[in-house]
Amino acid sequence: MPDQPERPARHAVYGELMWPEWNPTSESYGVGPDTAAYALLDAHAAEVQSETIPDWEAVYEPGNVSDYLIGYANSEVAAKGAAVAWVLSQSDTDAARLEWEEQPAGERHDHLFDLTERHDDGVDTDTGVTVRRRSRPYTADDIADPATP
């Protein structure tokens, strides 16, 4: 098998596809090269994920590094609640100082809210937490493993 991250269920299905003695309904040589088996598994995983991932997501964006996913939710209220709970679990922030500000949405999202901490001195602090709703469901291209040919 090519170098793949540890994914036991995926490897079990790969074994079923590649070794026909374990899968008598397949051809004598399985489905072909292992890259074809991995491509088949990735396509199936992307299809399942794109149908099951809720539209709302809460993320932490710490400056110039990748987004950190806090979680997915089925509604704006649930996503905002998860985001606030995460901020409170990570700092000593006072929940009464937190306020949502709607931001212009881009082409990938139709709603976008940033969580801001208000201070008595009038200086507001961006928490780096955003709640957004995707304007379209994820597709296989959004989810596919870029390392798989």
Side-chain angles (χ1 to χ4, degrees), residues 2-139:
D3 248 356
Q4 293 288 325
E6 197 54 41
R7 294 159 74 176
R10 187 171 188 257
H11 292 318
V13 173
Y14 172 85
E16 290 294 317
L17 291 171
M18 294 307 294
W19 289 285
E21 63 270 20
W22 294 346
N23 185 356
T25 61
S26 67
E27 296 178 15
S28 59
Y29 298 108
V31 296
D34 58 359
T35 55
Y38 280 119
L40 177 66
L41 291 168
D42 285 339
H44 175 68
E47 181 180 318
V48 169
Q49 287 174 336
S50 68
E51 293 174 2
T52 58
I53 296 176
D55 291 339
W56 287 93
E57 52 196 22
V59 295
Y60 172 56
E61 303 170 306
N64 61 354
V65 293
S66 299
D67 295 354
Y68 172 78
L69 177 66
I70 295 169
Y72 293 108
N74 290 319
S75 70
E76 176 184 336
V77 172
K80 286 181 176 180
V84 168
W86 184 84
V87 167
L88 296 176
S89 75
Q90 300 296 309
S91 67
D92 59 355
T93 302
D94 180 0
R97 295 181 182 269
L98 297 175
E99 193 172 299
W100 290 102
E101 294 182 353
E102 189 160 9
Q103 302 294 324
E107 64 182 51
R108 296 186 68 197
H109 302 94
D110 59 6
H111 290 303
L112 188 72
F113 301 92
D114 286 339
L115 186 59
T116 302
E117 183 178 1
R118 304 282 183 214
H119 298 278
D120 294 336
D121 60 6
V123 177
D124 299 335
T125 307
D126 181 15
T127 62
V129 173
T130 300
V131 164
R132 58 196 184 196
R133 184 174 76 180
R134 290 185 311 280
S135 55
R136 62 171 179 76
Y138 279 127
T139 65

